[in-house]
């Protein structure tokens, strides 16, 4: 008998069963069972691949955002931004080193900026016909993979060492990006190379293809940042939560100075939130400018900025002050205002403005996103869903979302960390089909009881849907998956599971997310919960 193993409508393998026993004859029932097993294998492979893809996407997202933040440091010269980008890139790719090699073909060399220290290192390398030169000249991605098996490595076993070298950009490449990883499995090399290639292309756009300029325009950077910000704002918020999320978005766009958000609440009062990064001597001046301009924006819908005119200063040696205030409009009324005020030291006056046309345009787009989210928040007058899960008595998805918003506000106020643990019963839908709804309900209740007993009293436990559960742990760091391992060990011991012939096959899978280290905003935490809801 043979049954295909398929993935995305494509046959990737075959499951074969044969017998040479004269008394054994396969029938239609045998073939049906084999086909079902092949389908289960296909489903498992699909979930594993989707999980790996999500993990890779998350790594790429965090790496891109870290590089954006490095290049947003306009107080640093280009070389310092590249050093910062190299160090952050190595950390997010879990690599031993990352080398950004800027080509200087007239001098026959690469200017190499490498990770390795907090600020990175810089040096030079001849443009020889080696890997770097070949990747640069031919525009091709290259990698080396080797096994270290010298006697000195005997205690730790064989370790895979992989070096990926990819061009930064296509025609007239800026240079090459080289990433060195240890202990990366060989089957992952192809996808790892593609990941580094995409990151190198993104880095080239950030740094700029033209060598004499060194940086791309801020317009492309801000557009990419807004694309990441928009989904977090569009998640359902109350007005208080939207205020915090909008402030976090502003701080991502403008890394220094004073940023403020003002929003009208349900009683038409004005809620206010601000964040400041800079010299305390600048705060009073920037606060007064912001207060005056955002008052105009709220009262009359007036947009103000220093872009069209001359930035404030009181002499040739005075600091330059730049500002912008944009009203937030819903239909025909003003419902809030965004404000940015930045003070630059005199020596930074040469070069582009911190607040230019691209920045003002990004601020206007952000105001539009906030207006749409504000309308959603105001529309939440319908009957609230039951916050608890009717089967287990735990909090349900809506109750968990409300708790997340509360904990994020508290964590912002006291600079605490939050740990979100998401877990699910592997093959839950298959178990439900095989054993029926009555057994499934008993099993879910037992697991919910075990889950609640294995967390702290201050932790929040919720059933998101089906076999998916979540634990929200305030004031907590990652525990290396200790909770997940403990729960996975306890699942086969549940009374409802022990009665099954395949009890050991019922497993728990999950991941942990740390706020604000891995997940930087409440909107991202809510998005993680929402992605766990059934697609129907």
């Amino acid at each position: 008998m043979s049954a295909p193993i398929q993935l995305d409508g494509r046959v990737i393998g075959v499951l074969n069963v044969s017998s040479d026993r004269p008394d054994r004859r396969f029938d239609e029932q045998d073939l049906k069972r084999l086909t079902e097993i092949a389908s289960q294998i296909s489903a498992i492979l699909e979930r594993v691949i989707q999980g790996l893809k999500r993990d890779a996407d998350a790594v790429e997202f965090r790496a891109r955002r870290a590089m954006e933040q490095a290049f947003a440091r306009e107080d640093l010269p280009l070389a310092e931004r590249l050093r910062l980008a190299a160090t952050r890139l190595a950390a997010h790719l879990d690599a031993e080193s990352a080398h950004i090699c800027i080509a200087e073909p007239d001098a026959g060399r690469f200017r190499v900026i490498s990770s390795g220290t907090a600020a990175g290192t810089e040096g030079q390398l001849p443009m020889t016909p080696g890997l770097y030169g070949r990747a640069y000249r031919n525009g091709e991605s290259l990698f080396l993979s080797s096994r270290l098996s010298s006697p000195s490595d005997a205690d730790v076993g064989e370790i895979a060492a992989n070096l990926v070298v990819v061009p930064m950009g296509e025609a007239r490449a800026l240079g090459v990006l080289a990433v060195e990883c240890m202990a990366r499995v060989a089957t992952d090399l192809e996808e790892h190379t593609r990941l580094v290639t995409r990151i190198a292309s993104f880095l080239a756009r950030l740094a700029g293809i033209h060598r004499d300029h060194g940086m791309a325009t801020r317009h492309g950077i801000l557009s990419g940042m807004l694309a990441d910000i928009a989904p977090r704002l569009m998640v359902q918020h109350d007005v208080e939560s939207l205020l915090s999320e909008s402030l976090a978005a502003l701080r991502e766009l403008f890394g220094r100075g004073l940023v403020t958000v003002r929003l009208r609440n349900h009683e038409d009062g004005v809620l206010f939130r601000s964040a400041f990064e800079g010299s305390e001597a600048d705060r009073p001046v920037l606060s007064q400018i912001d207060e005056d301009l955002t008052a105009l924006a709220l009262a009359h819908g007036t947009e103000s900025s220093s872009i069209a005119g001359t930035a404030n200063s009181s002499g040739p040696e005075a600091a330059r002050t730049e500002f912008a205030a944009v009203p937030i409009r819903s239909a025909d009324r003003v419902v809030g205002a965004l404000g940015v005020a930045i003070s630059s030291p005199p020596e930074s006056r040469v070069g582009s403005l911190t607040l230019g046309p691209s920045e003002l345009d990004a601020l206007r787009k952000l105001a539009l996103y906030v207006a749409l989210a504000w309308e959603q928040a105001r529309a939440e007058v319908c009957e609230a869903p039951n916050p608890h899960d009717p089967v287990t008595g735990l909090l349900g998805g809506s109750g968990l979302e409300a708790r997340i918003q509360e904990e994020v506000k508290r964590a912002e106020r006291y600079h605490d960390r939050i740990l979100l643990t998401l877990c699910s019963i592997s093959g839950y839908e298959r178990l439900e089909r095989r054993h029926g709804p009555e057994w499934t309900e008993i099993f879910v209740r037992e697991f919910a009881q075990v889950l609640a007993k294995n967390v702290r009293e201050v932790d929040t436990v919720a059933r998101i849907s089906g076999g998916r559960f979540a634990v929200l742990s305030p004031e907590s760091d990652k525990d290396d998956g200790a909770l997940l391992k403990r729960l996975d060990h306890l699942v086969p011991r549940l009374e409802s599971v022990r009665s099954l012939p395949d009890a050991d096959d019922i497993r728990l899978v999950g991941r942990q997310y740390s706020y604000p280290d891995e997940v930087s905003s409440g909107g991202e935490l809510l998005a993680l919960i929402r992605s766990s809801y059934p697609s129907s």
Side-chain angles (χ1 to χ4, degrees), residues 246-247 249-262 272-294 320-326 337-344 354-355 363:
S246 302
L247 186 70
L250 267 179
R251 181 50 80 208
E252 282 191 47
L253 293 173
F254 305 98
R256 59 192 177 91
L258 177 70
V259 293
T260 60
V261 182
R262 289 170 169 82
F272 169 76
R273 197 70 60 86
S274 69
F276 178 75
E277 181 70 31
S279 170
E280 285 298 322
D282 295 330
R283 188 196 286 265
V285 175
L286 299 182
S287 298
Q288 187 61 54
I289 292 173
D290 174 80
E291 187 174 341
D292 293 342
L293 297 181
T294 51
R320 179 181 61 176
T321 301
E322 301 168 87
F323 51 82
V326 174
L338 303 178
V340 179
I342 301 173
S343 181
S344 303
T354 304
L355 286 173
L363 199 60

Side-chain angles (χ1 to χ4, degrees), residues 148-379:
L148 306 181
S149 55
S150 61
S152 61
D153 297 320
D155 294 336
V156 296
E158 290 189 341
I159 302 175
N162 300 299
L163 175 67
V164 179
V165 183
V166 299
M168 291 194 298
E170 298 175 1
R172 291 174 55 85
L174 179 69
V176 297
L177 172 64
V179 176
E180 182 183 19
C181 291
M182 302 291 288
R184 183 171 298 280
V185 294
T187 55
D188 191 35
L189 269 178
E190 186 176 349
E191 177 55 37
H192 179 62
T193 302
R194 286 196 292 264
L195 172 63
V196 176
T197 301
R198 292 194 299 270
I199 289 175
S201 178
F202 182 72
L203 180 59
R205 292 200 301 271
L206 286 178
I209 298 301
H210 301 291
R211 300 173 180 83
D212 53 345
H213 289 90
M215 277 195 66
T217 63
R218 282 275 290 165
H219 180 77
I221 300 174
L222 292 170
S223 296
M225 296 173 77
L226 284 169
D228 293 333
I229 287 168
R232 305 203 300 266
L233 287 176
M234 292 302 105
V235 171
Q236 188 175 6
H237 294 281
D238 57 30
V239 178
E240 282 276 3
S241 171
L242 177 60
L243 198 70
S244 298
E245 198 64 40
S246 302
L247 186 70
L250 267 179
R251 181 50 80 208
E252 282 191 47
L253 293 173
F254 305 98
R256 59 192 177 91
L258 177 70
V259 293
T260 60
V261 182
R262 289 170 169 82
L263 289 177
R264 300 191 190 279
N265 61 11
H266 294 284
E267 294 76 29
D268 269 352
V270 177
L271 302 176
F272 169 76
R273 197 70 60 86
S274 69
F276 178 75
E277 181 70 31
S279 170
E280 285 298 322
D282 295 330
R283 188 196 286 265
V285 175
L286 299 182
S287 298
Q288 187 61 54
I289 292 173
D290 174 80
E291 187 174 341
D292 293 342
L293 297 181
T294 51
L296 283 173
L298 274 171
H300 307 292
T302 304
E303 180 182 294
S304 308
S305 76
S306 59
I307 296 170
T310 303
N312 289 358
S313 62
S314 57
E317 298 303 322
R320 179 181 61 176
T321 301
E322 301 168 87
F323 51 82
V326 174
I328 301 171
R329 299 178 181 274
S330 175
D332 58 349
R333 63 181 297 218
V334 177
V335 300
L338 303 178
V340 179
I342 301 173
S343 181
S344 303
E347 59 270 18
S348 69
R349 276 186 279 179
V350 178
S352 62
L353 289 173
T354 304
L355 286 173
S358 294
E359 283 75 12
L360 183 58
D361 185 50
L363 199 60
R364 291 169 181 153
K365 290 180 181 177
L366 180 60
L368 175 61
Y369 295 152
V370 175
L372 295 173
W374 182 89
E375 291 169 2
Q376 289 181 350
R378 293 277 293 199

Side-chain angles (χ1 to χ4, degrees), residues 402-420:
R403 188 64 58 83
I404 284 176
Q405 294 179 18
E406 294 172 4
E407 290 296 339
V408 167
K409 293 175 191 175
R410 185 196 57 75
E412 287 178 345
R413 188 178 305 117
Y414 299 109
H415 304 287
D416 283 337
R417 285 180 165 80
I418 301 173
L419 182 65
L420 175 64

Side-chain angles (χ1 to χ4, degrees), residues 101-160:
C101 308
I102 307 299
E104 297 178 349
D106 294 339
R109 66 190 179 194
F110 289 108
R111 183 159 55 93
V112 182
I113 297 171
S114 305
S115 64
T117 66
T121 58
E122 186 173 357
Q124 294 179 355
L125 186 70
M127 194 177 288
T128 63
L131 281 179
Y132 290 9
R134 177 178 170 182
Y136 170 70
R137 283 188 293 270
N138 299 341
E140 61 179 326
S141 299
L142 305 169
F143 68 84
L144 286 180
S145 179
S146 63
R147 287 279 177 181
L148 306 181
S149 55
S150 61
S152 61
D153 297 320
D155 294 336
V156 296
E158 290 189 341
I159 302 175

